[in-house]
Amino acid sequence: MRVLAFSLLLTVSALAAPRYNEFLYGVAYYPEHWPEKSWERDAKLMKEAGVNVVRIGEFAWYLMEPREGVFDFSLFDRAIAVMAKYGIKTILGTPTAAPPKWLTSKYPETLAVYSNGRPADDQTRRHYCYNSPVYRRLSKRIVEEMAAHFKDNPHVIGWQIDNEFNCHISECYSDSCRAAFREWLREKYQDLQSLNERWGNAFWSQWYTQWGQIDLPFPAPAYHNPALMLEFKRFISDSVRSYQRDQVEIIRKYRPNDFITHNGYFKNIDYYLMSRDLDIFAFDNYPCFNNEPRFPVGSKLTMARSFHDRFMIMEQQTGPGGQAYLLRTPRPGEMSLWAFQAIAHGADGMVHFRWRTARKGAEEYWSGVLEHDDVPRARYEEFKKEGADIGRIAKEILGSRLVSDIAVLKDFDAEWVYDYQYFTSEVNVGASFDHLFRAASEARYNIDFIGRHADFNRYKIIFGPQLILMDPDLALKIRKFVEQGGTFIMSAHSAAKDRDNGMTPHVKPILVNDLFGVEVIDFQCYQPPSRGKNAIRFEDGALVPVNVFADVLKTTKATPVAVWDQDYMKGTPAVTENRAGKGRAVYYASFFNLEAARELIRRYAAQYGLKPLMDGVPAAVEVTRRSKGRNHYYFVLNHENETVTIKPGAGYFDLLANTPAPAVLTLKPFEYKVLRRTQ
Ligand code: GAL
């Protein structure tokens, strides 16, 4: 009995071992682009730079299945073996982002279709339809052949499903999608009557009498029903999920111990849902899409980290990048600084894009560690130093987490509602996340973004930016969070509609007006948006400009802490606090712009006595903290091209220098440090 219990325990713990369990450092490698005789040198140079993994295969369907039903993985067998000789493991990408020519010419119905009815051109990538039965069948088959072929290969450790779902094209209007959409709705609503009622189809005579009358939201003379638009987005997201799941199930069958991931963060996917099928979420990090990447990239990383318990970088910018366009080049030191910024924000793996710049094709301007001429230069040296730095921290920081008192609630449904009913281009839910991230980072706090199914009680302060849809579960969750001592700060135009994306007979903010102690009785939308038209004046005199939106409030129970400064609502409440249980529900009657984010974080962090992660840090320097057990790891990143001094005080150990850190440190331009402090 005892033996049985023991072996049962062993089995359970073996099953529970995480599939992702090593800090990976590596590159995207395309052996099919290079003469085989160069592979060995590549592997040697990689090894010298500290590389322990390559990702390969994700665009090579044409090689793996050169003719329909004929499979050949031999090139990859050989490439994996060469890498393995140098201790480098492999992540295999399933090749479905780039179907071979024979496939799209023989089965044109597999192509994605634009809203104008034209099929996507098949001369680049990502031109397939997730719901095409033929594409689904052929995708499953190539993945099955691949997984079966590599079943016993000890050098393969993980899989990337496809590549960047919804990059380039995030909506499809094919016949397959139309049929699948009807089916998806039928399953959800069961009967047409209930769909008609929930969508309000009495409006403009849109009452369906047959499922076959429902269509995708093609361009139309007037605007579409918001209910249809939201369901279309949810349908796209579910289509991606189920397409991904096909592949996950096959790989799990053959390689149950490998980790499975997907890379990228694009439109029309609820990543909280799609990541549930993965072992780790991977983000592709290209800071040079921003001229000043520090804050926007920090915010993106915070979002990517929020989708799953584990997070890594599958593609990290290395050199300049471009296709028909050209982005700015990272200055010496920035490539590794940005890699460390990603690690500072929780990445447990760092794979650079790409080993060598392609000599031909659409990405001949997208630089790798080595350039076209193959000469290792400064970028290789920087990559090598980064590899050594990662080697010094990898074991310790693997699995450590950012712990935050402040969170921002992300609801993909709400984002999709605003994608269609956007009011004006300055209403941008995403921007609120960037502002809140920036304000928290400037004040030296960690901040989390969370989905609505996350545990709210880990936090002291939660922001709800433009949470336009409210439902009883979310309302209850917010109430409990507040009653147990939290502060929930909700922006204007939240809780305006139900989950069907329709208005309701309830007083706004619906389902939570009692908790917030306010009624929204009117609103103003400034057109064109401008800073001069109104502002919010706090009781302590702080004045926060607003650019777009002003809710007009009537307080029922709440106490105003700020009033409108101009317009017909001048002097009426603009920010209110309502005590409930041990906490507070705060209504902020405009959107969270940067000034608002700074003011609100300052005000409520002070009320909870939150301490900055580190004192004595100049503005140029970003600080985050990852924690594991009693150890705290402070990532200190100098984002400026100048030497700066920081004064963290005594008691830190400099992991990269492997020595106790002095109380006062200098950081060279773009330098980073990782300081450990043990509690
Ligand atoms: C990513 C993609 C890569 C490569 C890279 C640089 O979006 O996954 O395959 O295209 O960008 O453009």
Side-chain angles (χ1 to χ4, degrees):
M1 192 60 187
R2 261 197 146 157
V3 175
L4 187 71
F6 181 61
S7 63
L8 208 72
L9 203 75
L10 263 185
T11 329
V12 171
S13 61
L15 278 180
R19 295 187 178 100
Y20 187 91
N21 49 28
E22 181 186 1
F23 196 107
L24 297 176
Y25 183 59
V27 284
Y29 188 52
Y30 298 93
E32 70 274 26
H33 294 178
W34 310 106
E36 197 158 334
K37 59 178 176 0
S38 66
W39 296 353
E40 183 118 6
R41 174 180 176 263
D42 287 339
K44 193 160 165 291
L45 280 173
M46 287 181 201
K47 185 180 167 56
E48 282 166 16
V51 162
N52 59 13
V53 78
V54 287
R55 181 202 61 183
I56 64 175
E58 81 278 11
F59 298 118
W61 195 343
Y62 82 104
L63 266 181
M64 298 177 183
E65 189 177 359
R67 275 168 295 127
E68 187 171 1
V70 175
F71 300 93
D72 179 1
F73 300 98
S74 55
L75 180 137
F76 294 96
D77 289 337
R78 296 197 300 279
I80 293 170
V82 171
M83 291 294 144
K85 228 171 103 184
Y86 291 85
I88 298 170
K89 304 264 204 260
T90 293
I91 301 171
L92 280 174
T94 69
T96 46
K101 283 295 185 193
W102 61 256
L103 193 158
T104 46
S105 19
K106 179 165 175 198
Y107 304 108
E109 69 272 32
T110 59
L111 293 173
V113 174
Y114 292 106
S115 64
N116 63 7
R118 281 184 65 97
D121 187 278
D122 75 346
Q123 298 179 92
T124 63
R125 63 174 174 187
R126 295 228 59 77
H127 39 265
Y128 70 88
C129 160
Y130 297 109
N131 286 304
S132 152
V134 179
Y135 203 73
R136 290 287 269 253
R137 176 171 64 77
L138 296 173
S139 299
K140 284 204 275 193
R141 190 169 65 174
I142 182 67
V143 173
E144 179 115 30
E145 290 288 334
M146 199 177 173
H149 179 85
F150 291 104
K151 183 161 79 62
D152 299 318
N153 191 316
H155 310 300
V156 172
I157 54 169
W159 297 73
Q160 172 189 298
I161 306 287
D162 202 282
N163 189 77
E164 295 192 337
F165 290 134
N166 282 7
C167 174
H168 310 306
I169 174 165
S170 61
E171 292 176 0
C172 172
Y173 293 80
S174 67
D175 289 346
S176 304
C177 278
R178 174 192 282 130
F181 185 47
R182 288 175 185 155
E183 213 25 61
W184 183 89
L185 289 170
R186 194 198 274 266
E187 220 168 88
K188 174 165 178 179
Y189 291 87
Q190 304 286 327
D191 67 284
L192 214 44
Q193 174 79 11
S194 116
L195 182 148
N196 277 319
E197 280 166 12
R198 284 170 62 180
W199 289 20
N201 285 337
F203 192 80
W204 287 350
S205 216
Q206 287 303 311
W207 200 267
Y208 302 119
T209 52
Q210 285 172 12
W211 290 97
Q213 294 160 351
I214 301 180
D215 216 333
L216 303 167
F218 284 94
Y223 287 100
H224 280 295
N225 186 340
L228 166 70
M229 294 308 291
L230 178 57
E231 289 297 44
F232 181 50
K233 297 289 181 109
R234 288 179 176 140
F235 162 73
I236 296 171
S237 178
D238 272 10
S239 302
V240 173
R241 253 184 106 189
S242 97
Y243 179 81
Q244 173 178 263
R245 194 173 297 147
D246 278 358
Q247 300 196 17
V248 170
E249 280 169 3
I250 294 167
I251 295 165
R252 295 258 188 254
K253 200 165 68 186
Y254 291 93
R255 302 278 307 190
N257 299 321
D258 290 353
F259 69 84
I260 300 183
T261 188
H262 174 76
N263 59 326
Y265 169 32
F266 294 90
K267 286 303 293 181
N268 301 345
I269 298 174
D270 184 331
Y271 283 92
Y272 295 110
L273 298 179
M274 76 83 84
S275 298
R276 287 181 186 170
D277 296 323
L278 305 173
D279 298 298
I280 183 166
F281 180 74
F283 179 61
D284 293 347
N285 192 20
Y286 290 101
C288 287
F289 280 112
N290 299 275
N291 265 331
E292 297 292 333
R294 171 183 175 181
F295 292 113
V297 170
S299 171
K300 270 259 165 69
L301 291 164
T302 302
M303 189 63 85
R305 163 169 75 81
S306 82
F307 298 144
H308 196 287
D309 217 31
R310 307 296 300 274
F311 142 73
M312 68 180 291
I313 301 296
M314 190 58 86
E315 295 182 11
Q316 175 74 31
Q317 176 140 20
T318 299
Q323 293 184 5
Y325 55 92
L326 198 56
L327 307 175
R328 87 155 166 92
T329 300
R331 290 165 281 193
E334 279 187 321
M335 171 186 82
S336 297
L337 172 77
W338 293 335
F340 264 74
Q341 185 189 26
I343 300 170
H345 283 282
D348 263 350
M350 175 55 58
V351 178
H352 278 265
F353 188 84
R354 53 184 277 161
W355 174 243
R356 187 174 26 247
T357 317
R359 289 188 190 135
K360 311 274 177 187
E363 295 199 340
E364 57 193 20
Y365 279 108
W366 209 288
S367 290
V369 176
L370 299 182
E371 269 305 339
H372 306 111
D373 63 6
D374 224 5
V375 180
R377 292 203 178 82
R379 228 169 358 252
Y380 174 76
E381 292 309 319
E382 188 174 328
F383 178 74
K384 192 166 168 183
K385 177 180 173 298
E386 183 187 316
D389 285 347
I390 288 180
R392 289 187 190 100
I393 63 166
K395 278 216 171 66
E396 275 213 50
I397 62 141
L398 182 80
S400 61
R401 310 290 160 106
L402 282 93
V403 179
S404 315
D405 292 310
I406 307 170
V408 189
L409 192 52
K410 168 78 184 173
D411 180 356
F412 278 98
D413 278 356
E415 175 187 314
W416 298 337
V417 172
Y418 280 104
D419 279 350
Y420 192 59
Q421 292 174 305
Y422 62 94
F423 302 153
T424 151
S425 56
E426 302 220 348
V427 178
N428 176 341
V429 193
S432 300
F433 286 82
D434 291 351
H435 298 320
L436 287 160
F437 169 82
R438 177 170 180 160
S441 178
E442 286 174 348
R444 316 283 174 220
Y445 298 121
N446 278 353
I447 186 166
D448 285 354
F449 297 160
I450 55 173
R452 60 182 208 274
H453 302 292
D455 175 10
F456 287 8
N457 293 323
R458 293 207 305 252
Y459 302 99
K460 297 195 165 62
I461 302 166
I462 299 181
F463 287 88
Q466 284 144 275
L467 285 182
I468 188 161
L469 305 184
M470 191 50 68
D471 60 77
D473 288 347
L474 182 57
L476 185 67
K477 216 167 155 176
I478 297 174
R479 174 180 294 280
K480 283 199 174 144
F481 167 73
V482 169
E483 284 174 353
Q484 286 165 23
T487 292
F488 195 96
I489 308 167
M490 194 163 76
S491 83
H493 218 60
S494 291
K497 299 178 166 200
D498 62 18
R499 286 267 157 211
D500 289 332
N501 201 11
M503 297 292 178
T504 77
H506 302 296
V507 171
K508 295 186 191 93
I510 65 167
L511 307 176
V512 290
N513 62 66
D514 181 56
L515 176 65
F516 284 83
V518 291
E519 292 178 3
V520 177
I521 52 175
D522 200 4
F523 61 75
Q524 178 62 285
C525 182
Y526 294 111
Q527 296 286 20
S530 108
R531 299 210 145 208
K533 291 182 175 158
N534 211 337
I536 289 176
R537 186 176 294 281
F538 279 82
E539 51 195 6
D540 63 4
L543 196 66
V544 175
V546 309
N547 347 359
V548 191
F549 213 84
D551 270 340
V552 183
L553 303 180
K554 177 179 152 212
T555 51
T556 49
K557 290 189 283 180
T559 311
V561 297
V563 293
W564 287 114
D565 195 53
Q566 294 181 48
D567 207 351
Y568 72 92
M569 68 289 272
K570 181 175 176 159
T572 66
V575 186
T576 60
E577 289 181 358
N578 193 40
R579 297 216 67 103
K582 293 193 231 145
R584 271 185 230 91
V586 179
Y587 197 92
Y588 188 82
S590 190
F591 298 149
F592 299 134
N593 58 21
L594 184 58
E595 291 86 348
R598 283 179 179 144
E599 178 60 23
L600 293 167
I601 285 182
R602 191 190 58 71
R603 180 180 172 94
Y604 293 102
Q607 295 197 5
Y608 282 99
L610 302 188
K611 298 254 173 312
L613 296 173
M614 190 177 269
D615 291 321
V617 183
V621 174
E622 179 178 8
V623 183
T624 72
R625 185 179 63 197
R626 295 179 60 160
S627 304
K628 183 160 79 172
R630 295 172 53 232
N631 287 329
H632 299 295
Y633 304 99
Y634 293 80
F635 287 78
V636 185
L637 311 150
N638 179 11
H639 284 274
E640 292 298 329
N641 195 5
E642 60 192 38
T643 300
V644 293
T645 303
I646 62 165
K647 300 175 185 156
Y652 293 92
F653 187 86
D654 183 334
L655 283 185
L656 298 178
N658 196 24
T659 144
V664 179
L665 297 164
T666 56
L667 291 176
K668 295 197 277 289
F670 308 127
E671 193 183 347
Y672 47 84
K673 288 197 179 293
V674 185
L675 306 177
R676 181 184 63 211
R677 182 167 220 168
T678 306
Q679 242 173 16

